[in-house]
Amino acid sequence: MRCSACSRLAVVDQPYRGSHLCGEHLTRSVEERFRRALHRQLPRFSRGTVAVALSGGKDSAVALRLTHRYLASRPGVRLVAISVDEGIEGYRSRTLTAATQLTRALGVEHRVVRVREAYGTTTDAAAARLPTTPPCSYCGVWRRSLLNETARSVPADALVLGFNLDDLAQTVLMNFARGDLGRIARMAPHRAQQEGMVPRVAPLADVPEREVYLYARLTGVPFDHAECPYAGRAARNRFREVVWQLEESMPGTRQALLRAQGEIAALIGVPTDGPARCPVCGAPSAGGPCRGCTFRRMVEPAVGTA
Ligand code: SF4
């Protein structure tokens, strides 16, 4: 297999584009797709603060590296990386080490916030307390809430997430399967400011997961390969498999799902007037306690022993 842009051996095939790319052209292509998406989602951003969610895995590490490349040289722009430690033994400490290595290499300010300090428990403690509840359901809620609250406290004008094309296509399909069009409309990248929310952008939205991985390997971005011990229980796994099968038989399915999401968001619109506030922690909520506080209450007896 030869590169479609030169005669070198290809390292990746792109059936959705009908092309193959060598390492050099893949690197350039990933950077170009990231740069265009970043400027589309954050137009004319020349002054302000951008937070980057950094887990230490490949996607967020590439997102930070490229956000730094395209924004850090602007004199009025400040970058802050935010990592959330959910309290998962043997897993998060490894990825946080990689995250720290990258932020030090780039000279980027790095804030680490802990679920234990915010909610008085950890994902490990909650998993022991709620054995039949998939841990991702509360862990993901806590992480998103802490990322938003920390980005607000920076204060940041935007929050960069490392979601790649596969992640986003899976999320669209999951929300379709749940019949939750409102959540499809609210997905990152945000098209409108929502009260209480730092606008989330996803500049890797046009890059498949495999290409993000190859980019990180080809360019030496430090990241950790560790897999969360609870990942096998995530509902997302079924959708990952379905999206992968659809993409295999119908290349371009992932992009089509994202186009559908964009059209739905444009049709529905996103309410920009303030959502209700959680009476417990003050975070945005659909009414009553937010999901983070609801899960916290479910594991309350574990609080203090976490
Ligand atoms: Fe949390 Fe699930 Fe991610 Fe593990 S896979 S860190 S439990 S959201």
Side-chain angles (χ1 to χ4, degrees), residues 150-208:
T150 309
R152 269 161 57 91
S153 73
V154 165
D157 300 293
L159 174 63
V160 172
L161 302 173
F163 294 153
N164 60 50
L165 175 61
D166 294 72
D167 296 329
L168 291 168
Q170 291 154 18
T171 304
V172 173
L173 206 57
M174 284 169 78
N175 289 328
F176 267 126
R178 290 170 177 151
D180 196 340
L181 293 186
R183 202 176 274 203
I184 289 179
R186 292 193 302 274
M187 280 177 61
H190 288 169
R191 291 159 181 80
Q193 175 92 43
Q194 298 170 50
E195 173 74 23
M197 297 285 295
V198 175
R200 286 178 276 166
V201 297
L204 283 171
D206 297 331
V207 187

Side-chain angles (χ1 to χ4, degrees), residues 6-72:
C6 68
S7 58
R8 280 178 290 226
L9 276 179
V11 296
V12 69
D13 63 326
Q14 299 175 311
Y16 61 91
R17 283 179 157 181
S19 61
H20 316 291
L21 293 180
C22 65
E24 187 180 324
H25 281 102
L26 173 67
T27 299
R28 278 196 226 164
S29 164
V30 169
E31 290 169 352
E32 186 55 17
R33 277 176 279 171
F34 185 97
R35 190 186 66 78
R36 281 192 196 167
L38 183 68
H39 293 156
R40 193 171 61 238
Q41 295 172 26
L42 270 184
R44 296 178 292 283
F45 192 84
S46 58
R47 183 163 295 279
T49 302
V50 173
V52 181
L54 179 66
S55 69
K58 66 183 187 315
D59 301 298
S60 63
V62 168
L64 176 61
R65 166 89 167 259
L66 291 178
T67 303
H68 180 268
R69 167 178 292 203
Y70 295 117
L71 291 184

Side-chain angles (χ1 to χ4, degrees), residues 59-92:
D59 301 298
S60 63
V62 168
L64 176 61
R65 166 89 167 259
L66 291 178
T67 303
H68 180 268
R69 167 178 292 203
Y70 295 117
L71 291 184
S73 59
R74 299 181 181 190
V77 175
R78 172 188 172 209
L79 281 190
V80 180
I82 303 173
S83 300
V84 176
D85 179 355
E86 303 91 341
I88 301 174
E89 187 71 31
Y91 164 63
R92 189 51 83 204

Side-chain angles (χ1 to χ4, degrees), residues 159-303:
L159 174 63
V160 172
L161 302 173
F163 294 153
N164 60 50
L165 175 61
D166 294 72
D167 296 329
L168 291 168
Q170 291 154 18
T171 304
V172 173
L173 206 57
M174 284 169 78
N175 289 328
F176 267 126
R178 290 170 177 151
D180 196 340
L181 293 186
R183 202 176 274 203
I184 289 179
R186 292 193 302 274
M187 280 177 61
H190 288 169
R191 291 159 181 80
Q193 175 92 43
Q194 298 170 50
E195 173 74 23
M197 297 285 295
V198 175
R200 286 178 276 166
V201 297
L204 283 171
D206 297 331
V207 187
E209 179 173 15
R210 187 167 50 148
E211 295 177 34
V212 177
Y213 171 77
L214 286 170
Y215 178 84
R217 295 301 300 263
L218 288 165
T219 59
V221 175
F223 70 94
D224 196 279
H225 297 263
E227 186 177 52
C228 173
Y230 305 115
R233 294 173 61 188
R236 176 177 290 274
N237 294 334
R238 295 194 198 108
F239 293 91
R240 178 179 291 115
E241 186 66 26
V242 170
V243 168
W244 185 81
Q245 286 177 3
L246 288 171
E247 185 66 34
E248 279 287 295
S249 54
M250 294 185 293
T253 296
R254 294 169 296 189
Q255 286 90 345
L257 283 165
L258 259 64
R259 279 199 303 279
Q261 185 267 334
E263 286 176 20
I264 288 168
L267 282 174
I268 295 180
V270 177
T272 53
D273 52 334
R277 290 273 166 189
C278 170
V280 181
C281 71
S285 135
C290 67
R291 291 179 70 213
C293 287
T294 302
F295 279 120
R296 181 185 188 278
R297 281 188 182 166
M298 288 167 68
V299 296
E300 207 97 75
V303 172

